[in-house]
Amino acid sequence: MSINRILITTVLLIYIFLSSPAASAQCKQADDNCVLTGQWHISTALGAGVLTNPLHGGENIPLVVLPYIHYYGEQFFIENNVIGYSLLQSEDVILSVISQLNREKSFFTQWQAKHLFIPTFSDTVNLQPEKEYVNQNEIKKRKWALDGGVQVNWFISDTIELKAQLLHDINNVYQGFNSQLRLDKFISLSNNTRVNAAIGLNWQSQKLSNYYYGISPSDKVAVRSLYQAKSGSNPFISLNIRHQLSQHWQAQFFIKREFLGSHISNSPLIQESNISSAFVGVVYAF
C-alpha cells in the first residue's frame, strides 16, 4: 500500500467519523472507561503474568508490577506511554496528535524494566518445518523509535469505541509508518465487575518491518539467512476483567494474543508466530 493511499484512507476515515451520528460519550462520573478531566489517575497492579518474546534468543518477560498513569486535561492528555493533544473534540469524536515509543525494540533489549509498561503466554507448538534461524543477540542492535502522528477516537455508543492511529517515526530510525485499528466493547456484568473485550489490527510498513525483522549483510550473518521483510498486518484480540473489591482495590485478569503476519513470522529471527500475554492480580488506585 502506497503512502498516498494510506493518507487518503486516513482522511476518509476521519471524515466518516466526524460526520457520523453517535450516542453521547461524555463523562458523568469516573470509572474504568471514563475519567474526569483535570485529575491525575494513578494505580499500580501487583500479581503474576508473562509477556512472550517471539525472537530466537529472546526471553519471556515476567509481569509483576504494572503502573497505570492517566491524565486528561481539556486538550492535553497522558495515557501511560502515550502523550497527546486533542485538536478537535465533539460528543462522539476526538481527533488528536500523539507521540509514543514504538514497542518493537522492546523485544531486542535486555532492559527488564520494559515489562512495567506493557500489560500486553504462549502455549503454541511450532509444527512448521525447521528453518534457518538467527539469534537476536548475533545481529546489530536495533534502536528505539519515537512515533508521532494522528489518532481518532470514535465513541459509537456508551459501550463501544473505535480507535484509529497513523504514526511515523519522528526520530527517523526506521523511516516508515505503522497504524492500528481497534474496536473496544465495554460490558458491565454488575455494579462492581466490568469487562473490556477488544479486537484489532496492527499494520507495519515495509521499512518498519524490514528494519526490525529483516536480515541484511550489515548484520554479518550467513548469506543464506538474509531476509527482506515486507509490509503486513498483525490481528489481535484481548480481554480485560476488573472487579471492584473496595474503594481503592480491584482484582484484575488480562489476556491478549497478537497473531504475527507472514511479513514478520517468516523472518529467521522469529521462533513464535504470535505474541501473547496474561496477567492476574490486584490493582491499587491512589
Side-chain angles (χ1 to χ4, degrees):
M1 183 181 291
S2 67
I3 293 177
N4 288 336
R5 289 182 63 186
I6 295 171
L7 294 176
I8 292 172
T9 301
T10 303
V11 172
L12 288 175
L13 284 171
I14 293 173
Y15 174 79
I16 293 172
F17 293 166
L18 296 180
S19 60
S20 298
S24 173
Q26 286 185 326
C27 213
K28 296 180 177 62
Q29 64 180 10
D31 58 31
D32 287 342
N33 309 325
C34 187
V35 295
L36 300 175
T37 60
Q39 299 180 13
W40 286 92
H41 302 269
I42 302 174
S43 58
T44 300
L46 303 173
V50 64
L51 169 67
T52 64
N53 191 323
L55 298 176
H56 286 285
E59 296 183 357
N60 290 342
I61 306 161
L63 303 177
V64 179
V65 181
L66 307 173
Y68 300 94
I69 302 173
H70 296 80
Y71 175 82
Y72 300 92
E74 291 300 322
Q75 293 177 284
F76 174 77
F77 63 88
I78 298 174
E79 294 179 342
N80 293 325
N81 67 323
V82 178
I83 298 176
Y85 187 87
S86 299
L87 301 175
L88 179 62
Q89 302 181 57
S90 70
E91 290 185 345
D92 312 313
V93 176
I94 301 176
L95 173 63
S96 309
V97 291
I98 66 168
S99 181
Q100 64 184 30
L101 279 177
N102 188 287
R103 71 91 189 258
E104 307 303 330
K105 162 63 177 174
S106 65
F107 299 121
F108 293 85
T109 182
Q110 300 301 316
W111 178 43
Q112 292 302 302
K114 65 194 175 199
H115 70 274
L116 298 178
F117 301 95
I118 314 176
T120 8
F121 70 13
S122 172
D123 56 0
T124 60
V125 178
N126 188 1
L127 299 178
Q128 297 177 345
E130 188 173 332
K131 64 180 182 181
E132 188 75 24
Y133 72 89
V134 175
N135 190 299
Q136 62 99 2
N137 296 308
E138 299 173 350
I139 62 174
K140 69 177 183 181
K141 293 186 180 298
R142 272 48 171 170
K143 298 179 180 179
W144 285 100
L146 181 64
D147 291 340
V150 295
Q151 173 177 295
V152 177
N153 298 77
W154 178 22
F155 302 96
I156 300 174
S157 70
D158 289 338
T159 61
I160 300 177
E161 177 188 356
L162 183 65
K163 180 172 73 176
Q165 295 178 341
L166 179 62
L167 307 175
H168 187 280
D169 63 320
I170 57 181
N171 59 340
N172 290 320
V173 169
Y174 59 86
Q175 300 180 357
F177 288 88
N178 71 88
S179 65
Q180 182 184 97
L181 190 64
R182 176 186 175 115
L183 182 67
D184 286 86
K185 172 67 175 179
F186 303 97
I187 305 169
S188 294
L189 299 181
S190 67
N191 290 335
N192 296 324
T193 305
R194 295 182 174 88
V195 177
N196 173 204
I199 59 173
L201 197 69
N202 291 323
W203 175 85
Q204 295 98 9
S205 70
Q206 188 273 336
K207 289 185 177 181
L208 185 156
S209 300
N210 198 51
Y211 176 78
Y212 286 106
Y213 301 104
I215 305 293
S216 68
S218 62
D219 287 309
K220 298 181 180 180
V221 298
V223 174
R224 63 179 180 275
S225 298
L226 299 182
Y227 178 75
Q228 185 170 23
K230 300 179 181 179
S231 63
S233 300
N234 305 331
F236 65 86
I237 56 175
S238 69
L239 181 68
N240 189 10
I241 304 174
R242 286 199 179 193
H243 178 74
Q244 196 75 35
L245 300 172
S246 65
Q247 180 180 356
H248 294 285
W249 288 97
Q250 296 177 335
Q252 181 181 25
F253 171 76
F254 175 87
I255 189 168
K256 179 181 179 181
R257 174 157 289 185
E258 181 177 349
F259 305 91
L260 300 180
S262 59
H263 63 298
I264 291 177
S265 63
N266 287 341
S267 170
L269 288 166
I270 299 297
Q271 67 173 344
E272 294 286 350
S273 60
N274 61 72
I275 300 170
S276 303
S277 56
F279 176 83
V280 60
V282 292
V283 180
Y284 181 81
F286 296 91

